[in-house]
Amino acid sequence: MATQEVRRPYPSPEREAADDGVALLRYMLLMRFLEERAMNLYRQGKVPGSFYDGFGQEAVSTGAAYAMAPEDRLCVLHRDLAAHLVRGVEPARVLAQYMGRAGGITRGRDGNVHFGDPSLGCVGMVSMLPDMMLVATGMAMAFKLRREPRVALTWFGDGSTSRGDWHEAMNWAGVQRLPVIFVLENNQYAYSTPLSKQFAVDPVQRAGAYGFPGVTVDGNDVEAVHAVTREARERALAGAGPTMIEAVTMRMHGHAAHDDMRYVPPELLEEWSRRDPVERQERRLAERGVDVEAVRNEVRAEVDRATEEALAMPMPEPSQATEGVFCEGEAVPLGDGRPVR
Ligand SMILES: Cc1ncc(C[n+]2csc(CCOP(=O)(O)OP(=O)(O)O)c2C)c(N)n1
């Protein structure tokens, strides 16, 4: 099986906190600008289907993914573009994916958000919710059985927690004390269902009921999300089992581009717009003396280059439409501790 080196440097414990802060801002900006660009391409008819984004939630995927090591495995959900970017997926490949081009991660076999690059330790998203809970738990079980010092992490929304298989994954992870991190992206709505119709209890208490800690973190504070995930990873590596992290945030756009979200009170959006995670990190870094405008300009230029590159990519060959869709030959081993293609 061919292996491939991870293409982007990963965080190391030796790094200066200030550098980490800038890197965290860069990934959040990259996600925001890429999704803004993709929304424009959608409106121009270049992105088929609908378009799903994570506007306002950039801190959750950035902070958590940045705390993980190359040998760890991530199950990335539909609001978590920054996780792919942190792992090293190039921006042009993301836009190509959205437009169904041959250069996208699934090479035009699926659009929008159902992707994951296995060579970078990301599992392609299964759309049925919350199946990625089970995938992450299964991978963590394999790590435990093989005595590999690795951790699996998955994100999921508040709506996912109402499904039976979510509870099965939580229970098994707790019973087996698995090295897995569950990140609940509590963004106030599951499509049009508000939290008041989703939980009768504080969701973080559910972790306690399954025998492991649950922590609530401000999901719009990227450094806080990063710190809490790092701690959870250390716990998992020490054999202390899973952690559930509830990152409290807000879905600032509709469920997808087709949804005008008229069911969300405008005051709520106004309130959350004052807590924007990107602006918050920019203010923090400006106080630390960072030239934030320069970072923004750099990321904008990167997204411009990526757009040109993606638009120049061809569509896939129709004659090859079924290639790579079904599992053929050997399964990809995820257990050797290295990124695999
Ligand atoms: C089993 C299943 N039912 C319905 C859907 C359709 N669906 C996709 S996302 C979504 C809302 C999920 O809400 P939540 O888990 O809170 O995540 P959010 O979209 O808010 O990030 C629904 C109903 C699905 N993917 N899987």
Side-chain angles (χ1 to χ4, degrees):
M1 184 64 58
T3 61
Q4 186 176 317
E5 287 309 307
V6 173
R7 291 183 288 265
R8 202 184 277 269
Y10 281 83
S12 70
E14 300 83 47
R15 274 219 210 143
E16 290 291 314
D19 285 345
D20 278 347
V22 175
L24 291 169
L25 174 63
R26 274 197 83 260
Y27 286 118
M28 284 201 293
L29 283 171
L30 200 48
M31 172 169 168
R32 179 157 297 184
F33 293 165
L34 269 176
E35 289 190 337
E36 276 173 2
R37 186 59 53 88
M39 190 67 93
N40 288 342
L41 293 167
Y42 167 78
R43 292 191 177 119
Q44 291 166 17
K46 295 193 172 95
V47 174
S50 192
F51 179 66
Y52 298 77
D53 73 6
F55 187 94
Q57 300 180 214
E58 293 87 349
V60 185
S61 50
T62 303
Y66 199 77
M68 306 304 283
E71 65 273 19
D72 297 332
R73 290 290 175 261
L74 309 185
C75 294
V76 187
L77 269 283
H78 52 296
R79 312 268 177 223
D80 305 319
L81 174 61
H84 296 292
L85 301 167
V86 169
R87 297 300 285 194
V89 176
E90 296 88 351
R93 289 178 77 211
V94 171
L95 292 175
Q97 172 72 19
Y98 292 163
M99 293 190 287
R101 308 271 165 145
I105 296 94
T106 61
R107 304 194 302 283
R109 271 48 169 195
D110 199 340
N112 232 216
V113 287
H114 300 138
F115 66 91
D117 187 336
S119 74
L120 300 171
C122 296
V123 180
M125 180 184 152
V126 181
S127 185
M128 291 302 107
L129 301 171
D131 282 5
M132 298 309 265
M133 282 287 287
L134 305 168
V135 175
T137 301
M139 287 194 293
M141 186 73 202
F143 300 157
K144 180 185 165 184
L145 289 172
R146 296 169 185 160
R147 298 179 199 283
E148 293 170 351
R150 306 163 74 185
V151 180
L153 180 148
T154 185
W155 291 263
F156 51 91
D158 32 281
S160 285
T161 67
S162 299
R163 298 263 315 176
D165 28 13
W166 184 86
H167 292 269
E168 288 179 33
M170 291 283 283
N171 186 52
W172 188 248
V175 169
Q176 293 286 336
R177 291 169 79 86
L178 297 181
V180 61
I181 303 171
F182 299 124
V183 183
L184 161 57
E185 204 151 6
N186 184 348
N187 64 0
Q188 315 299 316
Y189 284 85
Y191 215 128
S192 57
T193 305
L195 294 187
S196 58
K197 293 200 161 53
Q198 200 69 252
F199 313 121
V201 293
D202 180 341
V204 83
Q205 287 176 0
R206 290 176 169 175
Y210 290 112
F212 54 90
V215 284
T216 298
V217 65
D218 180 342
N220 283 15
D221 180 345
V222 71
E223 294 194 6
V225 175
H226 177 234
V228 89
T229 312
R230 217 165 154 142
E231 232 173 84
R233 182 173 184 274
E234 277 158 24
R235 258 195 96 244
L237 288 175
T243 303
M244 177 178 143
I245 298 168
E246 180 201 22
V248 182
T249 183
M250 175 70 194
R251 198 193 72 206
M252 297 298 287
H253 283 171
H255 176 68
H258 58 266
D259 171 24
D260 66 8
M261 63 193 299
R262 69 183 66 174
Y263 48 84
V264 177
E267 317 80 74
L268 193 61
L269 290 170
E270 262 169 48
E271 186 194 322
W272 278 94
S273 67
R274 288 193 287 275
R275 301 189 217 165
D276 182 83
V278 175
E279 289 173 13
R280 188 160 170 185
Q281 185 65 1
E282 286 178 343
R283 280 197 299 275
R284 182 183 271 153
L285 292 178
E287 277 166 24
R288 290 182 198 156
V290 174
D291 182 352
V292 167
E293 203 45 42
V295 181
R296 287 181 81 89
N297 290 339
E298 216 182 279
V299 177
R300 270 199 200 288
E302 192 173 351
V303 172
D304 285 345
R305 281 194 301 274
T307 310
E308 273 178 40
E309 218 184 297
L311 283 167
M313 289 179 188
M315 286 298 187
E317 274 299 319
S319 60
Q320 295 165 9
T322 58
E323 278 180 26
V325 174
F326 303 102
C327 182
E328 287 149 15
E330 281 178 54
V332 176
L334 277 165
D336 63 0
R338 288 172 298 173
V340 291
R341 165 82 51 196

